[in-house]
Amino acid sequence: MNESLTSSYLIWGVFPYVALTLFFVVPFLRMVYRPFGMSTRASGIFVGRDVLGLAAHLLHWGIFLAFFGHLAGLIGGLLGWGSWVGAFFWMATLGGLAAIAGSVIALVRRTTVPEMRAMSQPDDYIVHLFLIAILGVAIYQALVDRIWGVAFTAAPWFASLWRFSPQPELMASAPWLSKIHIFLAFAFAAYFPFTKLIHAWTLPVNYLARPYQVLRTASKKFQNGWIFGCWEFKGVTDKSYMTYLAGGVIAVLLLIAFVVPGPSQTGLVEEVQAASNADPDAGASKPRSTLEGYPLYVSQCARCHGLEGQGDGPGARSPTFTALPRDLTTGHFRYISTTNGVASDDDLRRVIVHGLPGTGMPGFGVLSDQQLSSLVATVNRLWEARPEPGEKVVVPPRPKPTGEMVAEGETLYANLCVVCHGERGAGDGVLTSLRTDAAGRVVKPHDLTRDPLKGGATERQLYYRIAAGIPRADGEWLMPSYGNLKPEKIWALISYLEASVLPRGLVADATSAR
């Protein structure tokens, strides 16, 4: 196991169990050995009580709403129910904003009221900073980066923890902000039982059904109830309207999340799922808990490519992406190694393993060979009316570059490439706005001087780009194929690009004679 896989297993396969063990076991031990320590330090007698009431409502209702939103997201992500994942977004976002506001208000009060500062302990501040960090990262991801649908990825991983068969590789493709959010959440769970928040464990089961409180206030001897139709509501505090408002919002959102059914699957998806559930290797030994096929596709790919592979996942429009997710049902794959522009299984596998640098498409190299093969098979099943790929382009060994080769490559570049990529390779040629993809979107030539090579920064992959071209659809090409060139001329062109255009040397591979 390499260092990357080891660290991934420790973070996503071991640490959650440590955190959950502390979260559940320490409160029990404290209840047994230190029962009078299961309390919080009340601060309602100090200045700013009205502000405290507002903060408490926002914080508690926000956490409550975010919790049930995450529950809906986990269920929807695990079962592939898009509407539940959508409800998770709204519930968690609104709850997170409310909880952040409440935590900030409470923290400001604690730092500005002298009596509060005097009675405060370090954990009073750490708890709020933890909450603000956990929720702030998630809110930033949801509202700024707009990376949605991560529940499809996190839910199967979380379920694997509860099955005591952790699959940390499922988290490898999750966005970094999601990883930070989840790691901080588990770290907070581990810290939780050592703070004053442990009083939550003493919440009586009949708390919500308890008799309401009647309180004296400065302006009224007793609080009055208010009448709505034939129902009389008694307030708990002067801010009781917030309780009813928040409760109503939560009820509506819970109704959306748990009553509205998920999207019906098309016959195509049902066929793909059925084919994925069938074991193609009967009798082969494999862990039954390992996620493969269409469920693995939902976990790793659906947030961008969609449940049906049409490139319309909830996170497809993130501004962090430089290219829209591919519509897998059309088979318009660009980085190919065949003579007829149709991606082979090897082409699909290479993109899945290495991703497409600079686009938002991550690599999934931590998945097992069997899982990768099942993903390729799933993509092929989503690909409607897939034609047969042509012969693979033969890549001969690369001769040792010479000055003459570089000069010849410069001439070839001027004759073949300048019109699109420009004189210096910056993608500013005269045809910069004439190339469009199958959806009619303008595809600008690649900036070879700065942008990463999406198809891979190896000699072999660059040879494929030149010899096989970059197909668009229906026989059209974004970059024409120059397979009619002799191999030595293609290597000469590559030598010139490597020497004068590309920002860094290509990674030598097995084709090199050096």
Side-chain angles (χ1 to χ4, degrees):
M1 184 179 293
N2 60 41
E3 183 177 350
S4 176
L5 290 177
T6 300
S7 60
S8 178
Y9 188 82
L10 290 175
I11 295 173
W12 306 115
V14 176
F15 176 65
Y17 288 113
V18 175
L20 292 174
T21 299
L22 292 173
F23 182 78
F24 288 108
V25 173
V26 171
F28 175 78
L29 296 177
R30 288 188 62 176
M31 180 71 76
V32 173
Y33 296 104
R34 294 183 58 191
F36 296 105
M38 303 281 286
S39 64
T40 182
R41 296 176 291 278
S43 60
I45 62 175
F46 300 122
V47 176
R49 283 175 291 179
D50 291 340
V51 174
L52 177 62
L54 174 63
H57 274 296
L58 289 172
L59 181 60
H60 288 84
W61 282 115
I63 291 176
F64 184 78
L65 184 58
F67 171 79
F68 279 99
H70 279 74
L71 182 61
L74 289 174
I75 295 174
L78 191 61
L79 300 179
W81 294 349
S83 63
W84 284 48
V85 174
F88 155 63
F89 166 77
W90 289 109
M91 294 171 67
T93 300
L94 293 175
L97 289 172
I100 287 178
S103 187
V104 169
I105 293 171
L107 186 59
V108 170
R109 177 175 179 262
R110 185 170 293 277
T111 56
T112 56
V113 176
E115 296 89 346
M116 290 293 299
R117 289 201 305 270
M119 69 169 290
S120 295
Q121 296 182 8
D123 74 281
D124 292 312
Y125 299 101
I126 295 174
V127 163
H128 285 295
L129 294 177
F130 246 126
L131 288 174
I132 293 171
I134 293 170
L135 298 171
V137 168
I139 294 298
Y140 182 89
Q141 174 176 294
L143 299 183
V144 179
D145 283 355
R146 287 184 282 167
I147 300 177
W148 304 331
V150 182
F152 287 123
T153 299
W157 163 76
F158 194 70
S160 74
L161 295 178
W162 290 105
R163 291 195 302 266
F164 295 99
S165 180
Q167 297 185 59
E169 71 275 6
L170 298 180
M171 286 297 295
S173 67
W176 274 106
L177 288 178
S178 295
K179 293 179 179 179
I180 294 172
H181 170 69
I182 295 173
F183 178 82
L184 288 177
F186 275 100
F188 183 64
Y191 180 61
F192 183 94
F194 301 98
T195 71
K196 67 177 185 178
L197 297 180
I198 196 173
H199 74 277
W201 281 100
T202 65
L203 180 71
V205 294
N206 64 341
Y207 179 81
L208 296 178
R210 77 193 191 287
Y212 62 85
Q213 294 174 292
V214 178
L215 304 178
R216 293 175 180 268
T217 67
S219 59
K220 299 178 182 178
K221 184 176 181 180
F222 293 102
Q223 285 188 305
N224 296 324
W226 53 279
I227 305 298
F228 181 78
C230 61
W231 299 94
E232 181 178 1
F233 294 86
K234 295 292 185 179
V236 176
T237 69
D238 285 337
K239 301 295 187 299
S240 60
Y241 65 89
M242 294 180 58
T243 301
Y244 302 126
L245 177 62
V249 171
I250 289 176
V252 171
L253 292 174
L254 288 177
L255 182 67
I256 295 174
F258 295 104
V259 176
V260 177
S264 59
Q265 293 183 337
T266 64
L268 171 64
V269 172
E270 290 176 347
E271 177 184 343
V272 170
Q273 191 165 13
S276 297
N277 292 335
D279 187 0
D281 301 317
S285 60
K286 63 179 181 180
R288 294 184 61 84
S289 59
T290 301
L291 209 61
E292 295 180 5
Y294 183 72
L296 180 63
Y297 167 85
V298 172
S299 168
Q300 302 297 293
C301 315
R303 72 173 184 267
C304 296
H305 292 284
L307 292 171
E308 300 180 2
Q310 296 176 343
D312 57 353
R317 302 289 176 173
S318 171
T320 63
F321 296 166
T322 60
L324 294 176
R326 194 79 69 230
D327 182 347
L328 304 178
T329 64
T330 63
H332 297 157
F333 302 111
R334 297 179 183 176
Y335 304 103
I336 49 93
S337 62
T338 60
T339 56
N340 66 344
V342 178
S344 65
D345 286 357
D346 287 342
D347 295 329
L348 297 177
R349 187 186 184 94
R350 196 205 66 79
V351 171
I352 293 173
V353 170
H354 298 287
L356 297 176
T359 67
M361 165 74 179
F364 299 86
V366 299
L367 298 179
S368 68
D369 288 341
Q370 191 162 307
Q371 288 175 311
L372 291 170
S373 297
S374 73
L375 274 183
V376 171
T378 300
V379 172
N380 282 330
R381 294 186 184 107
L382 289 170
W383 187 350
E384 298 176 346
R386 180 193 180 188
E388 285 296 321
E391 295 182 359
K392 195 177 186 69
V393 172
V394 177
V395 182
R398 179 181 180 180
K400 184 177 181 179
T402 62
E404 291 78 8
M405 286 182 62
V406 172
E408 183 182 9
E410 183 176 10
T411 301
L412 289 168
Y413 180 86
N415 293 333
L416 303 176
C417 312
V418 165
V419 66
C420 292
H421 290 285
E423 292 184 3
R424 299 182 181 274
D428 54 356
V430 296
L431 298 182
T432 54
S433 61
L434 297 183
R435 304 284 187 184
T436 59
D437 62 12
R441 297 180 294 260
V442 173
V443 179
K444 294 184 177 181
H446 202 70
D447 183 350
L448 301 174
T449 66
R450 184 179 60 182
D451 297 338
L453 298 177
K454 299 176 184 178
T458 67
E459 297 170 347
R460 176 180 293 273
Q461 289 302 320
L462 193 52
Y463 192 102
Y464 285 146
R465 297 295 82 74
I466 297 172
I470 299 179
R472 189 188 76 167
D474 304 324
E476 300 293 331
W477 297 80
L478 292 173
M479 174 178 163
S481 165
Y482 295 104
N484 58 331
L485 291 177
K486 294 181 179 180
E488 55 268 24
K489 291 187 178 296
I490 295 179
W491 284 125
L493 181 54
I494 291 174
S495 297
Y496 168 72
L497 293 174
E498 188 177 22
S500 304
V501 178
L502 297 172
R504 60 184 66 85
L506 295 177
V507 179
D509 54 26
T511 65
S512 178
R514 290 177 290 177

